[in-house]
Amino acid sequence: MATAVHLRPVHSLTLRPPAAKAARSWLPLPGKLGARTRCSRLALLVCSASSPAPAAPSSSGGDSAAAFAAAKWAEWIPRAAAAGGAGAGPEKVLRLISGAAAMPVCQFVDKPRNFLHSVDPRVKLVWLLALVVLPARSNIYMRFGLVVFLALLSVWVLPNHVWKDQLGRVALLSGFIFIMLGFGANGAPSLIQTRTPPPSVLGIPNIPCSASGYSYTIMKLGPLQFTRKGLSVASTSASLSFAIFQSASLCLTTTTPEQLASALWWFMIPLKHIGVPVPEIILTLLLSLRFINLVFDEVRNSALAIVARRINWKKLTAMETIDIFFNYIRRIFKNIFDHAEQISKAMVARGFRGDPSNHKIYFLTESSFGFSDAFSLLCLIALMGLASYSDQLV
């Protein structure tokens, strides 16, 4: 008994059937398995266990049959429009990730060279320490002045495509911290009522309002309030966050990892006499600074690999989309661990046995104190003096 199986061509450019006969949507297979027909030699056919497809219209001959086959298989081709709508969200997220990882974050940029490239790395580390301490110990005007100073310095030093990307994200993060802490430090009114009776009950006059217009509450937003305490806490935290991120980015962008390790070695070498493992710390710093580039490259390449496959996100369920993102994260960690294993094998092959004190670390850099370093230290002393003088004025 012959078995009726629905056959569909894989490619839309199959041979046209004769004009006199209607195009069949199914063909009976012969009972003898070894038999071959002429059709099996001319076109590649795929068996389908689904129900037979509707027959192609035969009124217009072979042209209508070819058009029907092309329209049938056009539904299976992923197009850009199919990725739109509800399925465009995951692809946009991956494109944003790949674009963010493409920027040289915390990576040395050799060109264009500027004033900061010639400053000694030891002076840069002293500036980093000062920019961490000053926002926490200065008044609000000095904090915002440091933020403006770092923003202008970033625009002058960094390339356009770098500072536009970094300043926007750091400013967004600092603004979010400012708003959350400004309304959250002393935002919600206390639910505990004071047990002291009001002045009218005690027969004493009310406390007069300030003649200078002083008000502890700056702004109210529904049940939340923005007070002077919230302004102080928010400005300190936001300025400190901006200073830490942007000053570290400026230092790493204009200083090679070897120069940073050499400067840190110069500051920490006296601690070696009290048992501090200075060689281990310096070697860890060198490996970490060189490993940052590999992490960003893996994040970017893995995201671009998923985008390049043109996945039709609209046809995927929520669990399938989540599974793709979990596989994406798993692939990133797998590649990172593979790179770490290759680095360890390379170090072992070169004679490293786990004790950095038995190996000489070559920094391949020479530190020299010049005019730019003296000018930077004078600017730092002037900035610290201005911060101390501004505290006395306010």
Side-chain angles (χ1 to χ4, degrees):
M1 180 179 179
T3 305
V5 180
H6 175 217
L7 300 176
R8 294 186 300 182
V10 169
H11 202 278
S12 59
L13 300 178
T14 53
L15 294 180
R16 299 180 180 177
K21 296 182 181 181
R24 286 187 177 183
S25 60
W26 61 274
L27 293 175
L29 291 180
K32 193 174 181 180
L33 297 177
R36 293 188 178 181
T37 59
R38 183 173 179 269
C39 183
S40 63
R41 294 192 301 268
L42 297 178
L44 179 62
L45 302 177
V46 177
C47 255
S48 175
S50 61
S51 58
S58 57
S59 57
S60 58
D63 295 337
S64 62
F68 174 76
K72 182 68 178 176
W73 285 102
E75 301 175 357
W76 296 83
I77 301 176
R79 301 184 185 276
E91 185 169 350
K92 287 182 179 179
V93 171
L94 291 172
R95 290 183 182 274
L96 288 175
I97 293 174
S98 61
M103 292 294 105
V105 181
C106 301
Q107 301 179 24
F108 176 69
V109 179
D110 189 17
K111 294 181 180 179
R113 294 190 64 86
N114 48 65
F115 171 75
L116 283 183
H117 284 84
S118 58
V119 177
D120 192 271
R122 295 170 293 184
V123 179
K124 294 180 184 178
L125 290 182
V126 174
W127 264 95
L128 286 179
L129 180 62
L131 290 175
V132 171
V133 175
L134 284 178
R137 305 296 298 176
S138 305
N139 55 59
I140 187 171
Y141 303 106
M142 195 65 190
R143 295 168 197 159
F144 289 121
L146 287 175
V147 169
V148 174
F149 166 72
L150 285 174
L152 294 178
L153 186 62
S154 302
V155 173
W156 176 50
V157 170
L158 301 179
N160 292 334
H161 67 282
V162 177
W163 71 260
K164 288 180 181 179
D165 182 74
Q166 289 186 4
L167 278 182
R169 296 177 185 179
V170 175
L172 180 62
L173 176 62
S174 301
F176 178 76
I177 293 174
F178 182 85
I179 294 174
M180 295 298 295
L181 291 180
F183 285 100
N186 199 17
S190 177
L191 299 178
I192 302 175
Q193 298 181 357
T194 177
R195 300 182 63 182
T196 305
S200 59
V201 176
L202 298 177
I204 59 177
N206 294 329
I207 300 176
C209 298
S210 175
S212 60
Y214 174 82
S215 177
Y216 180 70
T217 302
I218 300 175
M219 183 180 63
K220 286 187 177 181
L221 185 62
L224 302 177
Q225 54 183 356
F226 194 82
T227 61
R228 293 182 180 271
K229 176 184 176 182
L231 176 62
S232 177
V233 173
S235 61
T236 302
S237 302
S239 303
L240 188 60
S241 302
F242 187 91
I244 289 175
F245 283 109
Q246 201 58 32
S247 59
S249 176
L250 284 171
C251 182
L252 293 174
T253 306
T254 58
T255 314
T256 61
E258 291 78 10
Q259 289 177 341
L260 282 177
S262 175
L264 191 62
W265 177 281
W266 188 84
F267 283 110
M268 295 184 65
I269 198 62
L271 301 178
K272 190 176 181 181
H273 300 288
I274 60 175
V276 177
V278 177
E280 286 85 346
I281 296 175
I282 300 302
L283 181 61
T284 305
L285 175 66
L286 277 174
L287 293 177
S288 302
L289 292 176
R290 292 197 172 275
F291 204 74
I292 291 176
N293 302 341
L294 297 176
V295 174
F296 280 100
D297 289 342
E298 286 301 330
V299 171
R300 178 175 178 270
N301 294 336
S302 300
L304 289 179
I306 299 177
V307 173
R309 281 165 172 78
R310 303 300 300 271
I311 299 175
N312 194 348
W313 300 97
K314 195 174 181 180
K315 293 186 177 181
L316 297 181
T317 61
M319 294 304 298
E320 291 173 342
T321 304
I322 294 174
D323 183 65
I324 290 178
F325 275 93
F326 271 106
N327 289 332
Y328 167 64
I329 297 174
R330 182 182 62 84
R331 175 61 61 179
I332 290 175
F333 279 99
K334 181 180 180 302
N335 293 343
I336 288 175
F337 287 139
D338 290 342
H339 282 298
E341 184 179 1
Q342 293 173 5
I343 292 174
S344 64
K345 290 181 178 179
M347 294 177 65
V348 171
R350 286 163 176 78
F352 184 76
R353 293 297 179 265
D355 189 6
S357 59
N358 296 334
H359 302 271
K360 182 176 177 56
I361 301 177
Y362 295 92
F363 297 111
L364 303 178
T365 179
E366 295 181 0
S367 299
S368 59
F369 197 84
F371 173 76
S372 58
D373 305 319
F375 179 74
S376 300
L377 289 178
L378 288 177
C379 291
L380 179 59
I381 294 173
L383 181 63
M384 296 179 67
L386 180 62
S388 301
Y389 182 70
S390 62
D391 289 337
Q392 298 177 2
L393 294 179
V394 178

